[in-house]
Amino acid sequence: MMVSKEATMSDASKPAKRPMSPRRKRYWTALGLAGAFGGVLGAWMQMTQTDGATIGLALLSNSALPANFAIGSSIVWVVGMAISLILYHRSVDDHEERAYLWAGTAAWYTLTLAAPTWWVLHRASLAPAPDVMLLFLGALAVNAIVWLWLKYR
Amino acid sequence: MNNKLKVLRAMRNWSQAELADRLDVSRQAVNAIETGKYDPSLPLAFKLARLFDMPIEEIFDDGFEGGDDE
């Protein structure tokens, strides 16, 4: 029996749910890519940890890393984040863009307040040496909290 | 800023998700506008006006009472 291509396409084009718009597809692709890059980097970093003292907290460790991992992860981070962020900014609606801008501002203020303060206290021997990753993770946490609050409150 | 979005949406029997699809924004954006937690950008306000076929000032009310006495 001959079934025309058009008839087949017509039957197949009756989805139970409304199809995703191109914007939503780009949005979830961007988030998926960012998550995948982050997951790969996290797992790879954890596998290179040899001291065993920081299992699960590899990001906070200051132990030496193999050069091939350092180069490879730097490339994956920069290229992966650049691609994901371009896709993300091309797909967000203006409500989320506003949440993102305020979250970024709050994260920047966190860094602006914490980094010089910690540095000055360290130079007066009142605090340990500033930890870049701790500052980064602190700013990232503030960013995430503000973004989630503005988007889902 | 107050708005009639929830009423206009209900009159058409649209869910927040359905309106969001028609505007190509997230459901959270529609919810935030309806509850007054977020004022849409001018392009989105125009999109809403075209969708509901009415002027922007009939959908949104900034509380200003002077000037227009109609």
Side-chain angles (χ1 to χ4, degrees), chain A residues 1-9 11:
Chain A
M1 185 205 263
M2 292 284 287
V3 178
S4 77
K5 193 176 177 183
E6 280 176 359
T8 310
M9 284 178 70
D11 287 344

Side-chain angles (χ1 to χ4, degrees), chain A residues 54-73:
Chain A
T54 56
I55 292 170
L57 291 170
L59 281 174
L60 294 175
S61 169
N62 284 321
S63 60
L65 290 167
N68 58 354
F69 168 77
I71 294 167
S73 62

Side-chain angles (χ1 to χ4, degrees), chain A residues 73-93:
Chain A
S73 62
S74 300
I75 292 168
V76 171
W77 175 255
V78 172
V79 174
M81 283 302 285
I83 293 169
S84 303
L85 285 172
I86 288 167
L87 275 175
Y88 175 79
H89 286 290
R90 283 184 61 213
S91 64
V92 285
D93 57 33

